Amino acid sequence: MRANIIFHSISGNLYIIAETFKEKLIKNGVDARIYRIEDPDLHVLANERNDVNEYYEEIMELPKATNEKLLSADLILLGIPSRFGMPTGEMKEFLDRTWPLYESSSLKGKKFYPFSTSSVSYKDALDAIEAVENWAGLMGLECIDFPPYTHKDGDMMPQRPGEEMEKEAERFASLIKSLV
């Protein structure tokens, strides 16, 4: 099984989560790869904020997400930063470019799993996930029956993902292994 993890990360948190999912999936026999959503303004934030700068170079070295990366996956994981209960503009722009895949039903039957972060609230992240789950449904993707990962209230960003995230990623990877 091929899992492509596509994320947009501003402060590095979704990058850390994507890497954790990748590590656990590989450990469980899944061919997992990560791709970044293009963000033409990330370099500006990296110059202004240490939390952004910390992972900037690592993120920029990753290949960019494309429709071809969606097509090459059996399982698509999307890492979504939330802005006012919606995906960021960069994530929305990426999803908007998938219109040809919608018209051709090219993603129909592939597996899907969302994860999110928010600096506001757990609900804010869940609302962004719901928006992306609507996109996934229209694309014919099959959502994995596993609770979407996001930080809980009181554990919101900029706190870095830690032990709880590791456990969730391991549980998720074990589930995926059973599907293979």
Side-chain angles (χ1 to χ4, degrees), residues 9 11-14 16 50-55 149 151 155-163 165:
S9 190
S11 65
N13 291 307
L14 279 162
I16 293 168
N50 286 336
D51 63 328
V52 177
N53 190 46
E54 185 176 355
Y55 294 100
Y149 177 79
H151 282 341
D155 205 16
M156 301 312 295
M157 301 302 165
Q159 181 175 327
R160 296 293 188 203
E163 188 176 322
M165 200 289 115

mmCIF file of all heavy atoms in Angstrom, residues 9 11-14 16 50-55 149 151 155-163 165:
data_model
loop_
_atom_site.group_PDB
_atom_site.id
_atom_site.type_symbol
_atom_site.label_atom_id
_atom_site.label_comp_id
_atom_site.label_asym_id
_atom_site.label_seq_id
_atom_site.Cartn_x
_atom_site.Cartn_y
_atom_site.Cartn_z
ATOM 1 N N SER A 9 2.147 23.287 6.376
ATOM 2 C CA SER A 9 2.618 23.603 7.715
ATOM 3 C C SER A 9 3.183 25.006 7.739
ATOM 4 O O SER A 9 3.978 25.376 6.872
ATOM 5 C CB SER A 9 3.703 22.606 8.148
ATOM 6 O OG SER A 9 4.004 22.757 9.511
ATOM 7 N N SER A 11 3.971 26.619 11.123
ATOM 8 C CA SER A 11 4.898 26.690 12.254
ATOM 9 C C SER A 11 5.737 25.429 12.423
ATOM 10 O O SER A 11 6.569 25.365 13.308
ATOM 11 C CB SER A 11 4.121 26.945 13.544
ATOM 12 O OG SER A 11 3.296 25.832 13.820
ATOM 13 N N GLY A 12 5.500 24.428 11.602
ATOM 14 C CA GLY A 12 6.249 23.181 11.710
ATOM 15 C C GLY A 12 5.482 22.070 12.400
ATOM 16 O O GLY A 12 5.882 20.910 12.336
ATOM 17 N N ASN A 13 4.384 22.388 13.068
ATOM 18 C CA ASN A 13 3.642 21.368 13.799
ATOM 19 C C ASN A 13 3.065 20.284 12.883
ATOM 20 O O ASN A 13 3.184 19.100 13.171
ATOM 21 C CB ASN A 13 2.543 22.016 14.635
ATOM 22 C CG ASN A 13 3.110 22.821 15.775
ATOM 23 O OD1 ASN A 13 3.903 22.321 16.550
ATOM 24 N ND2 ASN A 13 2.734 24.082 15.853
ATOM 25 N N LEU A 14 2.442 20.686 11.784
ATOM 26 C CA LEU A 14 1.893 19.682 10.876
ATOM 27 C C LEU A 14 3.003 18.895 10.185
ATOM 28 O O LEU A 14 2.827 17.724 9.855
ATOM 29 C CB LEU A 14 0.945 20.311 9.865
ATOM 30 C CG LEU A 14 -0.445 20.539 10.454
ATOM 31 C CD1 LEU A 14 -1.243 21.528 9.644
ATOM 32 C CD2 LEU A 14 -1.200 19.238 10.598
ATOM 33 N N ILE A 16 5.785 18.001 11.736
ATOM 34 C CA ILE A 16 6.148 17.013 12.756
ATOM 35 C C ILE A 16 5.122 15.876 12.769
ATOM 36 O O ILE A 16 5.481 14.696 12.819
ATOM 37 C CB ILE A 16 6.230 17.669 14.157
ATOM 38 C CG1 ILE A 16 7.387 18.660 14.215
ATOM 39 C CG2 ILE A 16 6.378 16.600 15.242
ATOM 40 C CD1 ILE A 16 7.347 19.551 15.452
ATOM 41 N N ASN A 50 10.680 32.498 14.995
ATOM 42 C CA ASN A 50 11.573 31.369 15.239
ATOM 43 C C ASN A 50 10.882 30.025 15.074
ATOM 44 O O ASN A 50 11.488 29.074 14.582
ATOM 45 C CB ASN A 50 12.192 31.457 16.634
ATOM 46 C CG ASN A 50 13.265 32.515 16.709
ATOM 47 O OD1 ASN A 50 13.864 32.876 15.704
ATOM 48 N ND2 ASN A 50 13.497 33.025 17.895
ATOM 49 N N ASP A 51 9.597 29.910 15.501
ATOM 50 C CA ASP A 51 8.906 28.623 15.394
ATOM 51 C C ASP A 51 8.736 28.211 13.936
ATOM 52 O O ASP A 51 8.789 27.030 13.615
ATOM 53 C CB ASP A 51 7.565 28.645 16.133
ATOM 54 C CG ASP A 51 6.574 29.639 15.570
ATOM 55 O OD1 ASP A 51 7.001 30.696 15.061
ATOM 56 O OD2 ASP A 51 5.360 29.371 15.648
ATOM 57 N N VAL A 52 8.563 29.158 13.039
ATOM 58 C CA VAL A 52 8.452 28.854 11.611
ATOM 59 C C VAL A 52 9.828 28.508 11.057
ATOM 60 O O VAL A 52 9.998 27.549 10.308
ATOM 61 C CB VAL A 52 7.839 30.048 10.845
ATOM 62 C CG1 VAL A 52 7.805 29.763 9.348
ATOM 63 C CG2 VAL A 52 6.452 30.368 11.373
ATOM 64 N N ASN A 53 10.821 29.279 11.442
ATOM 65 C CA ASN A 53 12.178 29.090 10.936
ATOM 66 C C ASN A 53 12.776 27.740 11.333
ATOM 67 O O ASN A 53 13.587 27.176 10.604
ATOM 68 C CB ASN A 53 13.073 30.232 11.428
ATOM 69 C CG ASN A 53 14.419 30.215 10.754
ATOM 70 O OD1 ASN A 53 14.517 30.063 9.548
ATOM 71 N ND2 ASN A 53 15.465 30.365 11.552
ATOM 72 N N GLU A 54 12.356 27.197 12.472
ATOM 73 C CA GLU A 54 12.933 25.961 12.997
ATOM 74 C C GLU A 54 12.874 24.805 11.994
ATOM 75 O O GLU A 54 13.806 24.012 11.901
ATOM 76 C CB GLU A 54 12.205 25.573 14.286
ATOM 77 C CG GLU A 54 12.791 24.374 14.978
ATOM 78 C CD GLU A 54 12.085 24.100 16.301
ATOM 79 O OE1 GLU A 54 11.211 24.880 16.726
ATOM 80 O OE2 GLU A 54 12.441 23.088 16.919
ATOM 81 N N TYR A 55 11.782 24.678 11.238
ATOM 82 C CA TYR A 55 11.618 23.573 10.292
ATOM 83 C C TYR A 55 11.533 24.031 8.846
ATOM 84 O O TYR A 55 11.283 23.213 7.960
ATOM 85 C CB TYR A 55 10.362 22.764 10.648
ATOM 86 C CG TYR A 55 10.500 22.063 11.974
ATOM 87 C CD1 TYR A 55 9.936 22.593 13.128
ATOM 88 C CD2 TYR A 55 11.234 20.888 12.077
ATOM 89 C CE1 TYR A 55 10.086 21.966 14.348
ATOM 90 C CE2 TYR A 55 11.385 20.255 13.295
ATOM 91 C CZ TYR A 55 10.809 20.797 14.424
ATOM 92 O OH TYR A 55 10.959 20.172 15.630
ATOM 93 N N TYR A 149 -7.077 13.155 13.780
ATOM 94 C CA TYR A 149 -6.152 13.637 14.806
ATOM 95 C C TYR A 149 -6.110 15.162 14.798
ATOM 96 O O TYR A 149 -5.950 15.799 13.771
ATOM 97 C CB TYR A 149 -4.728 13.110 14.600
ATOM 98 C CG TYR A 149 -3.798 13.683 15.646
ATOM 99 C CD1 TYR A 149 -3.794 13.147 16.924
ATOM 100 C CD2 TYR A 149 -3.033 14.802 15.395
ATOM 101 C CE1 TYR A 149 -3.015 13.707 17.921
ATOM 102 C CE2 TYR A 149 -2.249 15.367 16.382
ATOM 103 C CZ TYR A 149 -2.241 14.816 17.638
ATOM 104 O OH TYR A 149 -1.482 15.380 18.633
ATOM 105 N N HIS A 151 -4.986 18.356 18.019
ATOM 106 C CA HIS A 151 -4.700 18.613 19.427
ATOM 107 C C HIS A 151 -5.982 18.961 20.157
ATOM 108 O O HIS A 151 -6.870 19.604 19.609
ATOM 109 C CB HIS A 151 -3.701 19.751 19.578
ATOM 110 C CG HIS A 151 -2.295 19.352 19.309
ATOM 111 N ND1 HIS A 151 -1.860 18.059 19.318
ATOM 112 C CD2 HIS A 151 -1.203 20.091 19.014
ATOM 113 C CE1 HIS A 151 -0.577 18.023 19.057
ATOM 114 N NE2 HIS A 151 -0.151 19.235 18.854
ATOM 115 N N ASP A 155 -4.158 21.879 24.804
ATOM 116 C CA ASP A 155 -2.929 21.292 24.268
ATOM 117 C C ASP A 155 -2.698 21.858 22.866
ATOM 118 O O ASP A 155 -2.171 21.193 22.003
ATOM 119 C CB ASP A 155 -3.093 19.764 24.199
ATOM 120 C CG ASP A 155 -1.771 19.032 24.258
ATOM 121 O OD1 ASP A 155 -0.775 19.667 24.649
ATOM 122 O OD2 ASP A 155 -1.741 17.847 23.913
ATOM 123 N N MET A 156 -3.179 23.083 22.667
ATOM 124 C CA MET A 156 -3.155 23.677 21.342
ATOM 125 C C MET A 156 -1.765 24.201 21.001
ATOM 126 O O MET A 156 -0.894 24.312 21.845
ATOM 127 C CB MET A 156 -4.170 24.818 21.255
ATOM 128 C CG MET A 156 -5.612 24.380 21.534
ATOM 129 S SD MET A 156 -6.175 22.912 20.659
ATOM 130 C CE MET A 156 -6.118 23.488 18.992
ATOM 131 N N MET A 157 -1.583 24.519 19.764
ATOM 132 C CA MET A 157 -0.326 25.043 19.280
ATOM 133 C C MET A 157 -0.058 26.380 19.957
ATOM 134 O O MET A 157 -0.993 27.052 20.343
ATOM 135 C CB MET A 157 -0.384 25.215 17.765
ATOM 136 C CG MET A 157 -0.659 23.921 17.045
ATOM 137 S SD MET A 157 0.611 22.755 17.476
ATOM 138 C CE MET A 157 -0.115 21.236 16.925
ATOM 139 N N PRO A 158 1.167 26.806 20.113
ATOM 140 C CA PRO A 158 2.357 26.281 19.469
ATOM 141 C C PRO A 158 3.059 25.152 20.211
ATOM 142 O O PRO A 158 4.199 24.829 19.884
ATOM 143 C CB PRO A 158 3.263 27.501 19.385
ATOM 144 C CG PRO A 158 2.909 28.287 20.597
ATOM 145 C CD PRO A 158 1.436 28.050 20.815
ATOM 146 N N GLN A 159 2.421 24.542 21.164
ATOM 147 C CA GLN A 159 3.032 23.381 21.822
ATOM 148 C C GLN A 159 3.269 22.296 20.789
ATOM 149 O O GLN A 159 2.397 21.967 20.006
ATOM 150 C CB GLN A 159 2.114 22.861 22.930
ATOM 151 C CG GLN A 159 2.690 21.680 23.669
ATOM 152 C CD GLN A 159 1.801 21.293 24.832
ATOM 153 O OE1 GLN A 159 1.177 22.133 25.450
ATOM 154 N NE2 GLN A 159 1.750 20.017 25.113
ATOM 155 N N ARG A 160 4.447 21.726 20.769
ATOM 156 C CA ARG A 160 4.796 20.709 19.777
ATOM 157 C C ARG A 160 4.098 19.391 20.073
ATOM 158 O O ARG A 160 3.923 19.012 21.227
ATOM 159 C CB ARG A 160 6.315 20.477 19.760
ATOM 160 C CG ARG A 160 7.111 21.697 19.331
ATOM 161 C CD ARG A 160 6.855 22.008 17.895
ATOM 162 N NE ARG A 160 7.748 23.065 17.427
ATOM 163 C CZ ARG A 160 7.477 23.831 16.404
ATOM 164 N NH1 ARG A 160 6.352 23.703 15.747
ATOM 165 N NH2 ARG A 160 8.325 24.747 16.018
ATOM 166 N N PRO A 161 3.692 18.686 19.031
ATOM 167 C CA PRO A 161 3.106 17.351 19.220
ATOM 168 C C PRO A 161 4.089 16.458 19.966
ATOM 169 O O PRO A 161 5.294 16.554 19.775
ATOM 170 C CB PRO A 161 2.887 16.849 17.804
ATOM 171 C CG PRO A 161 2.850 18.080 16.965
ATOM 172 C CD PRO A 161 3.758 19.069 17.639
ATOM 173 N N GLY A 162 3.575 15.604 20.802
ATOM 174 C CA GLY A 162 4.444 14.779 21.613
ATOM 175 C C GLY A 162 3.951 13.360 21.746
ATOM 176 O O GLY A 162 3.530 12.741 20.772
ATOM 177 N N GLU A 163 3.967 12.864 22.964
ATOM 178 C CA GLU A 163 3.678 11.462 23.248
ATOM 179 C C GLU A 163 2.277 11.038 22.799
ATOM 180 O O GLU A 163 2.110 9.963 22.235
ATOM 181 C CB GLU A 163 3.841 11.218 24.752
ATOM 182 C CG GLU A 163 3.763 9.762 25.131
ATOM 183 C CD GLU A 163 4.018 9.559 26.608
ATOM 184 O OE1 GLU A 163 4.885 10.262 27.180
ATOM 185 O OE2 GLU A 163 3.354 8.685 27.187
ATOM 186 N N MET A 165 0.533 12.209 20.356
ATOM 187 C CA MET A 165 0.547 12.102 18.898
ATOM 188 C C MET A 165 1.236 10.808 18.466
ATOM 189 O O MET A 165 0.772 10.124 17.554
ATOM 190 C CB MET A 165 1.302 13.316 18.340
ATOM 191 C CG MET A 165 1.032 13.664 16.886
ATOM 192 S SD MET A 165 1.666 12.583 15.641
ATOM 193 C CE MET A 165 0.146 11.992 14.953
#
